[in-house]
Amino acid sequence: MPRAVREQQMMDAAVQTFGQRGYQAASMDDIAELAGVSKPLVYLYLNSKEDLFTACIRREAKALLTAVAAAVDARLPADEQLWAGLLAFFTHTAEHPDGWAVLNRQARTHGEPFASEAAQMRDEIVAYVGTLIGAAAKETHRATHRDPELAERDVAGLSQALVGAAESLAGWANETPGMTAWESAATLMNFAWAGLGNLMKHERWSPR
Amino acid sequence: MPRAVREQQMMDAAVQTFGQRGYQAASMDDIAELAGVSKPLVYLYLNSKEDLFTACIRREAKALLTAVAAAVDARLPADEQLWAGLLAFFTHTAEHPDGWAVLNRQARTHGEPFASEAAQMRDEIVAYVGTLIGAAAKETHRATHRDPELAERDVAGLSQALVGAAESLAGWANETPGMTAWESAATLMNFAWAGLGNLMKHERWSPR
């Protein structure tokens, strides 16, 4: 078996163990056993528990960002882009609850260097969301000819709000039995796109 | 000086030290010096660094929740209640950046028992926000006679989204020079109440 394949198996086992038991309680013995390899091989390939955890954070963050970016088609209208991105986000976090627990909980709650690693990945996601909101605002600006454009700081603040809302909702959804990715995405889409004011009047956004 | 007053001074010093240096790096020597008392007195009153940190988390969470609840007048229309609550939240977090750092960063990133303490306080805030959203939805329901009411699970999800958005935005605002509490509150009010879709068409919500 090629080294790269075996490494991925070890990391699959590590993500599952870290996600379910937490960083402190997870042992390299558990991870090696779950991966079906010897503990020395895990150390040989991935060096230490700290390095293995960092590698897991990076892999899971990249997988999540890739899944969201792949779902968003820049040629679609802004609301359809947001909907596609949210649906991809909640689908990915629902299908990879251990990976999401590593990113959203474990990576942030065990000090450095993991917290910085998680913060850096989060900054990338916020910047990506900012690009989408900025592009959508420009498009609306062109279509409506209304001034002024959304200011850069507005866009930055809105990206922070949207990412924070998505993180919070995904954490809760994964702990709420029967909550589907579609339902989570629809809740946040309506909150973010239509706003609470419209939502309470039952003026919902719905996919075309 | 009465014990209660002295304890508050020690906790003021502790919040400042934990918030600015982080839980690990903060020493009981620093805290005692900043409070102008001897280290044995800090231990006598507050027992240990762990207990002192836990007491700080509880005090800061209670102060934040009290500030928000005091600003919200249940007799006002739903949008005015949300605006008042958000403005109080961002004003408090801007005026108490160390307390906010303790709650939003330090309490969550140093494992147990602090993470559970922070999670419990957060659950209380989410439940409080849920009560507000539920009451506002009922009021709108009565006024518009439109069915169906916002479902309980919708309300729970929206509360999670709103709290997550507020946390994220407050963390960013405190690190962004020149960002005012008013500006943060207005950004989130528009995001949450009017929605991105209206915001991009420059249909903003504004206080009456």
Side-chain angles (χ1 to χ4, degrees), chain A residues 78 82 108-111 115 122 133 136-137 140-141 144 146-150 153-154 156-158 160-165 167-169 172 176-180 183 187-188 191-204, chain B residues 78 82 108-111 115 122 133 136-137 140-141 144 146-150 153-154 156-158 160-165 167-169 172 176-180 183 187-188 191-204:
Chain A
L82 178 58
R108 303 210 269 200
T109 55
H110 296 289
R122 188 182 191 276
I133 295 179
T140 313
H141 178 67
T144 59
R146 285 202 227 172
D147 275 320
E149 279 189 67
L150 221 47
R153 198 149 79 171
D154 275 343
L158 291 170
Q160 288 284 348
L162 185 55
V163 169
E167 288 169 339
S168 175
L169 200 52
W172 173 77
T176 303
M179 189 77 187
T180 64
E183 204 179 339
T187 296
L188 189 50
F191 178 67
W193 193 262
L196 284 172
N198 293 318
L199 200 50
M200 284 171 186
K201 291 184 281 177
H202 302 288
E203 289 166 12
R204 286 176 180 267
Chain B
L82 179 58
R108 304 212 268 201
T109 55
H110 295 289
R122 188 182 191 277
I133 295 179
T140 313
H141 178 66
T144 60
R146 286 200 228 176
D147 276 318
E149 277 191 68
L150 220 50
R153 195 148 82 174
D154 275 344
L158 291 170
Q160 288 284 346
L162 185 56
V163 169
E167 287 168 339
S168 176
L169 200 53
W172 172 76
T176 302
M179 190 78 187
T180 64
E183 203 179 341
T187 296
L188 189 49
F191 177 67
W193 193 261
L196 284 172
N198 293 320
L199 202 49
M200 283 170 188
K201 290 185 282 176
H202 301 288
E203 288 165 14
R204 287 177 180 266

Side-chain angles (χ1 to χ4, degrees), chain A:
Chain A
M1 195 176 285
R3 172 169 176 152
V5 175
R6 219 184 253 299
E7 262 189 31
Q8 287 309 308
Q9 286 178 343
M10 291 178 196
M11 285 176 64
D12 289 343
V15 168
Q16 188 180 327
T17 310
F18 289 136
Q20 290 178 11
R21 299 195 196 170
Y23 176 66
Q24 304 288 3
S27 77
M28 292 297 261
D29 282 300
D30 299 332
I31 293 167
E33 199 190 321
L34 189 62
V37 299
S38 68
K39 191 159 77 163
L41 197 68
V42 180
Y43 279 106
L44 180 69
Y45 278 20
L46 292 150
N47 202 40
S48 67
K49 188 176 166 186
E50 289 72 20
D51 285 359
L52 176 57
F53 190 51
T54 303
C56 288
I57 296 171
R58 286 185 187 160
R59 190 185 77 163
E60 295 306 310
K62 198 178 161 193
L64 176 58
L65 196 51
T66 304
V68 173
V72 176
D73 180 346
R75 291 163 304 182
L76 291 176
D79 59 337
E80 295 285 342
Q81 286 189 43
L82 178 58
W83 169 245
L86 290 178
L87 195 54
F89 173 81
F90 287 107
T91 301
H92 188 91
T93 53
E95 286 176 355
H96 304 87
D98 298 330
W100 179 242
V102 163
L103 284 180
N104 194 44
R105 186 164 321 136
Q106 298 303 326
R108 303 210 269 200
T109 55
H110 296 289
E112 298 302 345
F114 315 122
S116 297
E117 194 73 40
Q120 195 187 317
M121 297 294 168
R122 188 182 191 276
D123 287 345
E124 277 180 41
I125 292 172
V126 171
Y128 171 71
V129 171
T131 313
L132 294 185
I133 295 179
K138 269 196 176 47
E139 179 201 304
T140 313
H141 178 67
R142 268 200 305 274
T144 59
H145 302 288
R146 285 202 227 172
D147 275 320
E149 279 189 67
L150 221 47
E152 211 169 292
R153 198 149 79 171
D154 275 343
V155 171
L158 291 170
S159 311
Q160 288 284 348
L162 185 55
V163 169
E167 288 169 339
S168 175
L169 200 52
W172 173 77
N174 279 3
E175 287 165 7
T176 303
M179 189 77 187
T180 64
W182 211 96
E183 204 179 339
S184 300
T187 296
L188 189 50
M189 184 68 200
N190 274 293
F191 178 67
W193 193 262
L196 284 172
N198 293 318
L199 200 50
M200 284 171 186
K201 291 184 281 177
H202 302 288
E203 289 166 12
R204 286 176 180 267
W205 180 93
S206 47
R208 280 183 279 273

